């Protein structure tokens, strides 16, 4: 019952808006979203839903897609894969949506992708699912190209670290990583990239969290005389492992994962041992397009867009709608094929907001190429539907954390290309 | 390989110190005291508190990372841990000692261990700390073997304490009474030995050794409120392996557990090393239900 109420409410909202918009249309095109509005992710889910709504509103204000009003249908997955798949099925079979935005959790996005959107030829764009399994699935051809996500995965991070390690002249590196999905995939990707660049990974040692001592793990990592260490850890355990690594004669040539960028870690290890260390972290994206989104969010919802997934959800919706406009029809396969035409490439840049979308529509109508630069900055989907983001590297100088270097998206893409060519 | 041997012996020495106290209380008081591991944590943190108070008394001595404050702190920790053990005994265990069911005492000890751990968490917080934040760099002793001076100190102190305890039990009247009580409580009482006094000294010795184990653990690894919780199973494995009430047995049991954990990493992924003491325990109990070395007659009953 809740489902019907939900869709009725969404439809009502869309109708109300359409009545007030500058160009009332006679036709409608549906865009579906499956998000966790209730359940364990409820705290962030409804705001993410609002971000999608905002993009749709902006597009309607700019005149809709292909002359039709966009109808945003948000369905709740209640944090459960079963409910999510049901919701996606309803959207595809009854509402005839050509594109589904979502889901938030990888565990829900994956069954939707494999059992609903790919078989039905519907494009799926997620704001928030970061699991590496999607990349693997795409590489095996399991997504047929219908899968995109606007949140960077950890692969670029691994590639950037491998590039830095090779630039610093490290030949044999030991990897010690937290025994989780995140740690496993980052370590695996790093090994692949580092070996593609001609280095050798002497060992990969997983560790379990919350142990008092990692001496055994560190001893194992020290086997084979590595000249450097890549430590993928969280601050408290990372400090324990790094202390033991250094005191047992491990090299101070250390690479550190993003979570270690914490004062707590530096203080516990001792800044004097970290002068050679280089860490990585996601860089905060800045620029006009990001400001454009932030400003319109504040105007609409009277709060700061500070929650997770807001920028990526807006971009997911905007990419879907622009691709639909570019394709000229509300068809999943056509949208899939148009996504890369309106993102990467050399076209004229368009930004978030009604003016940006109006400009995009004009350019597309005139047959000019466009490039959407979104709430998360420039977006380039690779063959697997993954995006890259900008990174920064950090180190420790005079006992304090400092930023050493920044890697913008072009540089990250170059590094990615350097690895995949091999 | 050599490194694993050295690490195993060190871990084993710390486990042995804790297991001695455990095996004494199990043999003499006849119940499995799960709160014993928390005495280790308590001792380690009492020494930390003492070190932060006594800090100005002096810097590191020689090649070691600690100085006079930690030595005095250890003595204070032994006293404070003994006080805690006697308080627990007086407030909880003595009240329950008359009950016919041994499980009552075991469950009470579970409750006490939780209380002590939470108390430490409340006072000192949950983050990992160290007696000294300066990192000690291990010295290469032989090819493939690096040792820290602190580790050698820990090993030496543990050895001295074990020998001293053994001599005490063999050659003093109090030691004889303790062994007698473990062997046959009724006969001991008939002979005019004050059981209350012997029990008191059992707690003091067990708690003091636990405090030293805690300090050595904090010195060579790190301090966390969960130290005791992580040590409880190796401790029991060591005590049972060696035969309940058997002190040399507990030491050898501790060494076996420490070495097994250390060498297991060559065969098993490091994540599974915690399971190794259990496998040994199961194997030993299957072949020799009383432990590798005969325990006390009373405990075996």
């Amino acid at each position: 019952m809740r489902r019907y109420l939900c869709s009725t409410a969404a439809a009502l909202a869309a109708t109300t808006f359409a009545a007030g918009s500058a160009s009332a249309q006679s036709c409608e095109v549906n865009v579906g979203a499956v998000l966790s509005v209730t359940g364990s992710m409820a705290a962030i889910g409804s705001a993410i839903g609002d971000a999608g709504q905002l993009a749709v509103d902006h597009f309607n204000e700019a005149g809709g897609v292909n002359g039709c009003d966009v109808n945003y249908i948000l369905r709740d997955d209640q944090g459960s894969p079963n409910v999510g798949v049901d919701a996606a099925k309803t959207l595809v079979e009854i509402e005839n949506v050509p594109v589904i935005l979502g889901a938030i959790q990888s565990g829900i996005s994956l069954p939707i992708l494999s059992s609903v959107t790919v078989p039905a030829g519907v494009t799926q764009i997620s704001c928030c699912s970061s699991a590496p399994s999607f990349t693997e699935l795409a590489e095996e051809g399991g997504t047929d190209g219908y899968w995109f996500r606007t949140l960077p995965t950890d692969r670029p991070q691994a590639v950037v670290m491998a590039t830095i390690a090779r630039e610093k002249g490290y030949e044999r590196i030991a990897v010690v990583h937290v025994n989780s999905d995140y740690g496993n995939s980052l370590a695996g990707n790093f090994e692949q990239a580092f070996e593609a660049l001609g280095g050798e990974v002497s060992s990969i040692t997983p560790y379990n969290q919350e142990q008092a001592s990692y001496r055994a793990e560190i001893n194992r990592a020290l086997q084979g005389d590595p000249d450097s260490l890549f430590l993928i850890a969280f601050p408290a355990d990372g400090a324990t492992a790094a202390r033991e690594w250094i005191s047992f004669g491990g090299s101070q040539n250390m690479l550190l994962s993003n979570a270690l960028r914490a004062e707590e870690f530096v203080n516990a290890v001792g800044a004097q041992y970290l002068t050679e260390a280089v860490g990585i972290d996601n860089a905060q994206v800045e620029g006009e397009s990001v400001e454009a989104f932030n400003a319109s969010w504040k105007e609409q919802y009277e709060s700061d867009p500070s929650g997770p997934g807001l920028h990526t959800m807006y971009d997911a919706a905007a990419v879907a709608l622009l691709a639909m406009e570019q394709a000229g029809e509300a068809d999943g396969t056509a949208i899939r094929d148009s996504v890369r035409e309106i993102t990467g490439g050399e076209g004229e840049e368009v930004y978030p907001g009604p003016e940006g979308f109006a400009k995009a529509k004009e350019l597309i109508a005139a047959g000019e190429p466009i490039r959407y630069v979104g709430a998360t900055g420039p977006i380039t989907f690779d063959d697997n539907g993954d995006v890259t983001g900008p990174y920064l590297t950090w180190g420790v100088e005079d006992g304090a954390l400092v930023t050493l270097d920044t890697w913008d998206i072009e540089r990250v893409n170059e590094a990615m290309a350097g690895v995949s060519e091999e | 390989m050599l490194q694993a041997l050295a690490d195993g012996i060190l871990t084993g020495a710390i486990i042995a110190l804790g297991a001695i106290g455990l095996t004494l209380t199990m043999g003499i008081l006849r119940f499995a005291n799960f709160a014993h591991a928390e005495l280790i944590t308590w001792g380690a943190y009492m020494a930390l508190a003492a070190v932060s108070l006594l800090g100005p008394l002096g810097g590191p001595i020689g090649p070691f990372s600690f100085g006079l404050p930690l030595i005095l702190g250890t003595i204070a920790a032994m006293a404070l841990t003994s006080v805690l053990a006697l308080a627990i005994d007086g407030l909880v265990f003595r009240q329950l000692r008359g009950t016919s069911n041994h499980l009552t005492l075991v469950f009470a000890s579970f409750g006490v261990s939780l209380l002590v751990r939470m108390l430490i968490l409340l006072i000192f917080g949950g983050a990992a700390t160290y007696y000294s934040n300066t990192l000690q760099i291990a010295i290469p002793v032989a090819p493939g073997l690096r040792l820290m001076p602190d580790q050698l100190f820990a090993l030496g102190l543990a050895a001295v304490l074990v020998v001293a305890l053994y001599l005490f039990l063999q050659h003093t009247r109090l030691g004889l009474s303790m062994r007698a009580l473990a062997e046959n409580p009724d006969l001991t009482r008939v002979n005019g030995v004050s059981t209350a006094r012997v029990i008191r000294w059992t707690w003091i010795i067990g708690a003091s050794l636990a405090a030293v184990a805690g300090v050595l653990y904090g010195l060579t690894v790190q301090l966390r409120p969960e130290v005791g919780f992580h040590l409880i199973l190796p401790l029991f494995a060591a005590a049972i392996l060696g035969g309940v009430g058997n002190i040399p047995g507990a030491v050898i049991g501790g060494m076996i557990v420490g070495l097994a954990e250390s060498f297991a990493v060559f065969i098993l992924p490091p994540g599974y090393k915690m399971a190794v003491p259990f496998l040994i325990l199961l194997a030993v109990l299957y072949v020799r239900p009383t432990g590798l070395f005969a325990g006390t007659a009373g405990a075996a009953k």
Side-chain angles (χ1 to χ4, degrees):
Chain A
M1 190 59 204
R2 168 153 45 177
R3 186 177 298 156
Y4 295 105
L5 284 178
C6 257
S7 63
T8 315
L12 271 176
T15 322
T16 321
F17 191 83
S21 77
S23 50
Q25 316 280 335
S26 53
C27 67
E28 275 195 351
V29 54
N30 290 338
V31 167
V34 179
L35 300 169
S36 306
V37 181
T38 61
S40 62
M41 290 283 195
I44 59 169
S46 66
I48 292 173
D50 289 346
Q53 181 72 56
L54 186 65
V56 171
D57 288 354
H58 284 168
F59 229 91
N60 283 332
E61 222 172 298
V65 171
N66 304 327
C68 292
D69 263 338
V70 184
N71 187 13
Y72 179 63
I73 308 174
L74 172 60
R75 287 289 165 86
D76 183 11
D77 62 34
Q78 298 170 20
S80 142
N82 295 336
V83 182
V85 167
D86 269 359
K89 251 190 196 132
T90 320
L91 285 171
V92 170
E93 285 167 9
I94 296 172
E95 310 286 357
N96 289 319
V97 297
V99 59
I100 284 183
L101 307 172
I104 296 180
Q105 297 169 60
S106 300
I108 300 173
S109 297
L110 197 57
I112 291 179
L113 182 68
S114 53
S115 67
V116 182
T117 50
V118 171
V122 167
T123 299
Q124 185 178 349
I125 309 181
S126 170
C127 59
C128 312
S129 299
S130 69
S133 37
F134 293 99
T135 309
E136 283 159 27
L137 189 67
E139 275 169 357
E140 290 161 8
T143 65
D144 282 347
Y146 286 105
W147 166 257
F148 298 91
R149 51 182 156 181
T150 48
L151 181 77
T153 61
D154 38 26
R155 184 167 151 74
Q157 190 181 340
V159 171
V160 170
M161 281 315 250
T163 311
I164 292 171
R166 290 300 290 155
E167 279 171 6
K168 285 184 143 265
Y170 302 161
E171 295 290 335
R172 288 168 62 73
I173 193 162
V175 179
V176 173
H177 69 85
V178 52
N179 198 1
S180 69
D181 235 17
Y182 155 77
N184 282 320
S185 88
L186 190 52
N189 280 320
F190 178 83
E191 181 187 28
Q192 205 184 5
F194 194 69
E195 289 183 343
L197 292 169
E200 189 191 342
V201 174
S202 67
S203 64
I204 294 186
T205 312
Y207 75 81
N208 289 348
Q209 296 186 54
E210 294 290 316
Q211 306 282 307
S213 167
Y214 295 113
R215 199 158 291 161
E217 287 84 347
I218 291 299
N219 277 339
R220 189 156 115 156
L222 281 166
Q223 309 273 316
D225 288 322
D227 61 9
S228 47
L229 169 73
F230 182 20
L231 181 61
I232 302 164
F234 300 117
D237 296 333
T240 311
R243 279 177 72 102
E244 284 171 335
W245 169 264
I246 294 165
S247 73
F248 279 89
S251 161
Q252 290 180 22
N253 294 332
M254 285 192 281
L255 302 179
L256 306 169
S257 63
N258 50 349
L260 296 177
R261 191 184 177 202
E263 296 284 341
E264 182 194 348
F265 173 77
V266 175
N267 292 340
V269 177
Q272 70 269 34
Y273 301 109
L274 293 172
T275 50
E276 294 298 314
V278 178
I280 193 166
D281 199 3
N282 294 72
Q284 178 62 44
V285 187
E286 284 164 2
E288 219 177 312
S289 66
V290 184
E291 287 308 310
F293 166 76
N294 290 349
S296 44
W297 177 278
K298 274 179 206 159
E299 191 188 311
Q300 184 86 5
Y301 299 112
E302 291 171 353
S303 67
D304 283 328
S306 54
L310 304 182
H311 295 77
T312 48
M313 180 63 188
Y314 184 93
D315 280 355
V319 164
L321 295 171
L322 285 169
M324 213 185 288
E325 180 81 28
Q326 175 78 21
E329 52 179 326
D331 171 73
T333 310
I335 292 171
R336 174 194 75 180
D337 296 336
S338 304
V339 163
R340 287 185 183 81
E341 291 171 28
I342 52 100
T343 50
E346 300 298 320
E348 183 152 359
E349 291 189 359
V350 293
Y351 292 158
E355 300 80 25
F357 293 148
K359 180 178 158 195
K361 283 169 65 73
E362 268 171 40
L363 289 165
I364 289 171
E368 302 278 336
I370 62 159
R371 178 175 192 203
Y372 175 64
V373 178
T376 57
I379 300 168
T380 308
F381 294 101
D382 69 7
D383 292 344
N384 301 321
D386 291 334
V387 292
T388 50
Y391 291 94
L392 61 83
T393 58
W394 52 273
V396 178
E397 274 171 23
D398 299 326
L401 289 166
V402 290
T403 302
L404 298 175
D405 198 3
T406 51
W407 284 66
D408 59 19
I409 291 177
E410 278 74 26
R411 206 169 154 200
V412 174
N413 284 334
E414 249 172 62
M416 297 283 286
V419 169
S420 57
E421 268 168 24
E422 300 291 321
Chain B
M1 226 40 185
L2 219 50
Q3 189 69 56
L5 184 71
D7 286 341
I9 290 174
L10 181 75
T11 315
I14 292 172
I15 293 173
L17 282 185
I20 289 171
L22 187 65
T23 210
L24 275 178
T25 44
M26 277 208 282
I28 291 172
L29 302 170
R30 303 216 151 65
F31 77 100
N33 181 13
F34 281 89
H36 189 79
E38 300 309 324
L39 295 179
I40 294 179
T41 324
W42 178 263
Y45 273 91
M46 286 302 108
L48 180 71
V51 165
S52 59
L53 289 177
L54 300 171
L57 275 183
I61 299 172
F64 304 114
S65 72
F66 58 90
L68 198 56
L70 187 68
I71 295 170
L72 295 177
T74 306
I75 295 166
M78 289 166 80
L80 287 167
T81 310
S82 301
V83 168
L84 178 73
L86 291 173
I88 292 172
D89 186 53
L91 291 172
V92 185
F93 297 143
R94 192 184 302 156
Q95 319 292 332
L96 298 171
R97 210 166 283 146
T99 51
S100 56
N101 197 338
H102 276 235
L103 278 180
T104 314
L105 276 168
V106 173
F107 280 101
S109 74
F110 261 120
V112 170
S113 79
L114 273 176
L115 268 177
V116 174
R117 195 184 319 149
M118 293 307 146
L119 188 65
I120 292 166
L121 203 62
L122 197 66
I123 303 172
F124 295 96
T129 49
Y130 304 90
Y131 288 121
S132 151
N133 255 334
T134 36
L135 242 179
Q136 205 174 30
I137 306 287
I139 302 160
V141 182
L145 175 63
R146 286 164 183 276
L147 288 175
M148 290 191 270
D150 284 359
Q151 291 178 313
L152 289 176
F153 171 82
L155 203 55
L157 183 61
V160 167
L161 285 175
V162 169
V163 172
L165 181 70
Y166 187 75
L167 294 177
F168 165 79
L169 286 178
Q170 296 298 325
H171 297 287
T172 63
R173 189 160 179 82
L174 185 59
L176 185 68
S177 321
M178 284 171 76
R179 284 188 293 140
L181 192 64
E183 204 66 41
N184 192 329
D186 295 331
L187 199 61
T188 314
R189 237 174 258 127
V190 168
N191 278 296
V193 173
S194 157
T195 42
R197 180 162 167 269
V198 174
I199 287 175
R200 194 159 62 236
W201 279 102
T202 305
W203 280 116
I204 291 174
I205 292 169
S208 299
L209 289 177
V212 176
V215 172
L216 295 183
Y217 191 88
L219 190 64
T220 54
V221 187
Q222 66 176 188
L223 285 162
R224 284 182 179 224
E226 305 90 29
V227 165
F229 180 68
H230 285 308
L231 281 176
I232 185 97
L233 295 166
L235 288 186
F236 270 96
I240 293 169
L241 267 180
V244 171
N246 186 330
I247 289 182
V251 174
I252 295 169
M255 287 294 164
I256 292 175
V257 171
L259 286 170
E261 276 194 7
S262 186
F263 276 103
V265 185
F266 290 106
I267 309 158
L268 291 171
Y272 298 105
K273 70 167 183 238
M274 281 177 83
V276 173
F278 293 102
L279 293 177
I280 300 174
L281 192 57
L282 281 176
V284 168
L285 288 183
Y286 190 73
V287 184
R288 282 184 69 97
T290 53
L292 285 178
F293 315 97
T296 56
K301 261 192 233 165

